[in-house]
Amino acid sequence: MTHDILVRADAGASLRERPRRLRRTPALRDLLAETRVRAEQLIMPHFVLPFDHGEEPIASMPGIARLGIGTLVRQVEADRALGVRAVLLFGTARADEKDAGASAARDPDGTVPRAVRALKTAFGDDVVVITDVCLCAYTDHGHCGLLRDGVVDNDLSLAPLAEMAAAHAEAGADIVAPSDMMDGRVRAIRDALDERGLSQTAILSYAVKYASAYYGPFRDAADSAPKQGDRRSYQMDARNAREALREARLDAAEGADMLMVKPALAYLDVIRAVRETGDLPLAAYNVSGEYSAVKAAARAGWLDEAAVVRENLQAMVRAGADVVITYHARAALAHDR
């Protein structure tokens, strides 16, 4: 008899606690969702061609193309109608523009400054324009800094990076985003901007950027792969997490207004750790390899692309990202509508 009473009591307790009650309908699930990804949180990257019009599809990134400046303006206008109001610009350069000193990167009439001016003329403050600051697409050797005796020289690279950022800011960029991973570059850029009266231009630092195998399609798109060697001496070791916190602290102390973790999916633990130890806005970069892997699997019929994209973006925000840079932004929002 005692045993029967205990069994009935346990069954009654289990009926009182049933989390499934709050998952019963789509409306209930939407009402109580803990993580929400909004259009305002998404940043769309663009590869900009060094001429006014044109479109060059990128074979390794289905659905993404390099765009001429006028074509870019039209695409950003279409994306804005979906709710995407922030862009990240990567310049591309002709082969004859590349040299050892990355001189084209600092040209005030170069590809990115021209694109910034065009976007600001078209949209003003209604679109946030962020520019990538790195020398790799403009050097003839493909590294993110200048070389001395065949080795990337950290301190030699700081001045051209700061000049590049200033050229973008003077053109009207809202945010400059150094991605080179040279030590001290945030301070150098902040000083250069302030000295030129550009104190309102914010810095989004690629503070935690790993030497990742996920960048392959991007390097194809930007023609920025190193001609010799790799970037492991300046980008972070994928095995390290505590080092990410050190990098984030240093860039915050040097004057960064926002921080980034790149890549995103394989580093959700790092996003969480950086979020919990700092208070600056945090971006996650859903990089080209992550994008292309989903596209390839979807084309093969192995997964539901829209569902996987939603799940991935939700994971990044749930881990602690305030904003997500993603090539999926346009398609994700178009599908939702």
Side-chain angles (χ1 to χ4, degrees), residues 88-103:
L88 174 59
L89 303 183
F90 295 93
T92 61
R94 299 189 309 268
D96 62 358
E97 291 180 311
K98 300 187 179 193
D99 58 32
S103 56

Side-chain angles (χ1 to χ4, degrees), residues 128-140:
V128 178
V129 178
I130 308 167
T131 62
D132 182 80
V133 175
C134 191
L135 306 181
C136 59
Y138 302 91
T139 57
D140 54 12

